[in-house]
Amino acid sequence: MTQNNTTAVKALFTHIWNNYLDVTPSALKIHDLLGSGNDLINDHVAYRTFNSSKVNIAKLASHLTALGYKECGEYHFEAKKLYAKHFEHADNTLPKVFISELLVEEFPQPIQDIINKMVDAVNSDSINQSSFLYSGTHWQVSYADYQTLLAESEYAAWMAAWGYRANHFTVSINHLAKFDDIESVNSAVKNGGFPLNTSGGEIKGDKTVMLEQSSTIADKAEVVFTDQTVLIPSCFYEFAKRYPLANGELYTGFVAASADKIFESTNAK
């Protein structure tokens, strides 16, 4: 990996982070609350998309594999009708990337029609630019269509409103100087006035699955739909503590049962 490529990866994630902060102002406040210098490492960044060949996992991941990322795991979420993969870089200070896609064909036809119309509006040339990963929406939808999607899939509704941007960043608790366990991180976050996602408990996973995770409830931000402007859930911040495998190296994968509950951080409250 050349220094130039490492620089390119970091530059890409700086753009992604700044785009994420535009609709997740709490993340910067929590970042400053938990970190003390250069100890705040992003464990992973998550993306959502659809399984259309035009914008599927492979299309998003191509921007990462071009910079040295490798596919490392796959996950199924049958109840939410999702499939996902995660990607890692040889430099473990660079964030892992978790990309999920909605299995569009498993939904009723009216839902498929709304989604297909959105995907059709995406310019194919824009997908080939790395800026696609922080480009937001490429379509216009009505609030009525958003609500139609929401009734069937919060995931689909989130995509309609926010498009291609990081759904969340994740603090690596293992790298923090001021904290060494997830309980103390959660306490600091709550004491700072930021509510946590309690779906499945505040802490998802445990030492036996080598990964503990928690997350905030998504911020809210205004979305301009075709018929009205509405304040809705945007993005959230996650916290992850990883445990070592028998060989002493930290577990780098994900736990589907925990991730399933993390998805619910963007549920409307």
Side-chain angles (χ1 to χ4, degrees):
M1 191 66 172
T2 67
Q3 182 61 42
N4 284 344
N5 278 343
T6 301
T7 300
V9 173
K10 290 180 178 178
L12 174 61
F13 280 102
T14 295
H15 285 301
I16 293 169
W17 170 253
N18 289 334
N19 175 253
Y20 160 80
L21 290 181
D22 285 344
V23 298
T24 323
S26 69
L28 187 57
K29 296 174 184 175
I30 296 170
H31 179 284
D32 294 341
L33 176 70
L34 299 179
S36 56
N38 297 321
D39 62 325
L40 209 147
I41 300 294
N42 287 309
D43 178 86
H44 69 272
V45 177
Y47 274 90
R48 296 181 178 186
T49 191
F50 304 111
N51 68 338
S52 160
S53 59
K54 187 177 182 182
V55 293
N56 61 11
I57 289 174
K59 284 297 178 69
L60 270 65
S62 66
H63 299 297
L64 303 169
T65 55
L67 294 172
Y69 275 81
K70 305 291 185 185
E71 180 184 322
C72 292
E74 63 176 355
Y75 312 88
H76 298 270
F77 304 91
E78 293 182 5
K80 290 182 170 63
K81 301 181 174 67
L82 302 172
Y83 172 68
K85 292 182 177 182
H86 96 266
F87 301 81
E88 297 177 25
H89 195 279
D91 180 348
N92 64 12
T93 67
L94 296 175
K96 292 170 277 294
V97 182
F98 185 93
I99 309 175
S100 56
E101 62 184 16
L102 192 73
L103 306 179
V104 179
E105 69 279 0
E106 295 189 13
F107 286 86
Q109 194 60 49
I111 300 299
Q112 293 188 45
D113 291 344
I114 295 171
I115 293 171
N116 291 336
K117 185 178 179 181
M118 286 160 47
V119 173
D120 287 345
V122 182
N123 184 304
S124 296
D125 289 339
S126 67
I127 301 168
N128 298 323
Q129 305 298 318
S130 61
S131 57
F132 186 68
L133 295 177
Y134 50 95
S135 62
T137 55
H138 296 251
W139 48 72
Q140 290 186 308
V141 295
S142 66
Y143 185 56
D145 280 350
Y146 170 83
Q147 290 180 303
T148 297
L149 292 174
L150 189 60
E152 288 284 340
S153 167
E154 182 280 329
Y155 184 109
W158 188 93
M159 276 298 300
W162 301 111
Y164 294 96
R165 66 193 325 140
N167 172 260
H168 63 271
F169 273 73
T170 307
V171 174
S172 169
I173 296 172
N174 298 80
H175 290 85
L176 292 177
K178 296 192 293 184
F179 304 89
D180 57 13
D181 60 71
I182 196 167
E183 290 85 359
S184 59
V185 167
N186 286 351
S187 292
V189 171
K190 288 188 292 184
N191 289 340
F194 306 101
L196 294 180
N197 167 10
T198 58
S199 179
E202 281 188 3
I203 300 172
K204 290 84 162 117
D206 54 35
K207 192 173 182 178
T208 65
V209 294
M210 304 295 176
L211 176 63
E212 294 173 333
Q213 297 166 270
S214 62
S215 59
T216 63
I217 293 294
D219 282 9
K220 289 190 175 181
E222 286 190 343
V223 171
V224 180
F225 294 99
T226 57
D227 48 353
Q228 57 183 299
T229 298
V230 186
L231 191 70
I232 62 169
S234 55
C235 306
F236 61 94
Y237 213 4
E238 186 186 329
F239 318 100
K241 171 71 179 283
R242 295 183 179 275
Y243 287 89
L245 299 167
N247 63 7
E249 295 182 1
L250 290 179
Y251 174 70
T252 60
F254 293 84
V255 178
S258 301
D260 184 81
K261 300 303 181 185
I262 293 290
F263 277 120
E264 297 175 17
S265 299
T266 51
N267 285 4
K269 299 293 179 183

